[in-house]
Amino acid sequence: MKILVAIKRVVDYNVKVRVKADESDVDIGNVKMSMNPFDEIAVEEAVRLKEEGKASEVVAVSIGVKQCEETLRTALAMGVDRAIHIETDEKLQPLAVAKLLKAVADKEQPQLFLLGKQAIDDDANQTAQMLSALMKVSQGTFASKIELNSDEVLVTREIDGGQEEVALTLPAVISVDLRLNEPRYIKLPNIMQAKKKPLEKKTVVELGVDISSRLIQLKVTEPPERKAGIKVADVSELVDKLHHEAKVI
């Protein structure tokens, strides 16, 4: 059983994001970058499945600039066996990412593909679903629990009404949620060992994928400042303000 995990290099979740002066994009100059938190959970789950003897190999895939190698090395230090880096300086949209991941999957033939449910930079929550459609395999999204068997995988999903359990035939694509696990602390010996693990380089041209943009980004702006709250004397005043000022009832 081979598991492929897709990871993305994003602005660290502890960093306050700034918008460029011309509002063309987010300013990432001299900003700390790290692995997308949801992808980190996906890596942790894949490594745990291997440690349980349910998977024979875990491969991490990342798409982006040269610095993505650092993110892949982090995944290798967590226990991933090898890594694949598709190097490109283009800003990719979810469909292009899904096409590139499919091209890798066609070569690697994994039984399970794990991704974070969304990236914290664009919050698209589209790549896993698009990848499943392109690969024509079953999918489970927002997974909070994964039970892997020989020919199927049971996925407990986070939904609006609580939880839902689905049984997927393999191969399958699963996007993971925050409650699935807590990623491990990486020890120094593992970081040193990760430097010796194989990291394969690929290009978009080599994979033969069209990554042209389907959407145009007009501008990026800061969200409006949140107004200060007010105190009300009683329930009647609260209802009055909700009705006449907020207009939510």
Side-chain angles (χ1 to χ4, degrees):
M1 166 99 48
K2 181 188 293 186
I3 301 177
L4 247 64
V5 187
I7 61 176
K8 186 177 183 181
R9 178 177 179 265
V10 299
V11 175
D12 189 88
Y13 69 94
N14 286 312
V15 174
K16 178 175 173 55
V17 177
R18 304 186 307 272
V19 174
K20 291 182 178 179
D22 61 0
E23 296 186 337
S24 62
D25 209 337
V26 172
D27 186 3
I28 60 173
N30 300 315
V31 171
K32 181 183 178 183
M33 308 290 283
S34 60
M35 188 188 303
N36 180 48
F38 291 101
D39 298 343
E40 192 175 6
I41 292 170
V43 172
E44 175 66 26
E45 190 66 17
V47 172
R48 289 187 186 187
L49 289 171
K50 185 190 173 186
E51 291 173 344
E52 293 171 4
K54 296 181 179 180
S56 57
E57 185 181 29
V58 178
V59 183
V61 185
S62 189
I63 307 167
V65 296
K66 181 176 176 58
Q67 290 84 346
C68 287
E69 288 183 23
E70 301 168 11
T71 311
L72 286 168
R73 291 295 178 191
T74 300
L76 292 169
M78 291 177 68
V80 169
D81 297 297
R82 58 188 176 90
I84 299 172
H85 178 205
I86 305 172
E87 190 170 351
T88 176
D89 293 329
E90 296 290 329
K91 186 174 181 179
L92 302 179
Q93 294 171 358
L95 181 58
V97 174
K99 288 180 177 180
L100 289 168
L101 293 177
K102 179 186 180 297
V104 174
D106 289 342
K107 178 178 180 297
E108 295 289 335
Q109 294 295 308
Q111 285 71 49
L112 189 62
F113 216 129
L114 294 179
L115 306 89
K117 72 168 185 177
Q118 65 193 68
I120 62 171
D121 54 359
D122 58 17
D123 277 333
N125 181 22
Q126 296 174 348
T127 304
Q129 293 88 329
M130 289 177 172
L131 176 61
S132 171
L134 291 171
M135 292 177 63
K136 298 180 180 179
V137 299
S138 53
Q139 67 170 299
T141 55
F142 319 127
S144 61
K145 185 178 180 181
I146 297 174
E147 296 180 49
L148 183 60
N149 301 317
S150 58
D151 58 347
E152 70 172 12
V153 55
L154 299 178
V155 177
T156 302
R157 303 179 60 238
E158 298 279 348
I159 60 174
D160 291 340
Q163 293 183 331
E164 176 186 53
E165 188 174 276
V166 294
L168 309 176
T169 55
L170 297 174
V173 174
I174 297 176
S175 69
V176 306
D177 214 331
L178 285 174
R179 293 178 181 85
L180 181 60
N181 61 53
E182 185 175 342
R184 67 193 63 193
Y185 175 78
I186 303 175
K187 298 178 181 178
L188 181 59
N190 295 338
I191 295 175
M192 302 307 293
Q193 292 171 11
K195 296 179 180 179
K196 299 179 182 179
K197 291 184 178 180
L199 195 158
E200 184 181 357
K201 287 275 196 178
K202 290 185 178 293
T203 65
V204 174
V205 175
E206 180 184 346
L207 294 173
V209 174
D210 176 17
I211 61 170
S212 56
S213 298
R214 264 66 175 180
L215 304 173
I216 298 174
Q217 181 172 293
L218 300 179
K219 67 176 181 177
V220 178
T221 60
E222 294 273 3
E225 288 190 16
R226 187 173 180 178
K227 295 180 180 179
I230 60 171
K231 291 183 178 181
V232 294
D234 51 36
V235 174
S236 298
E237 185 182 353
L238 173 61
V239 172
D240 181 71
K241 288 185 178 296
L242 290 175
H243 183 65
H244 294 99
E245 294 183 20
K247 300 186 185 305
V248 294
I249 59 174

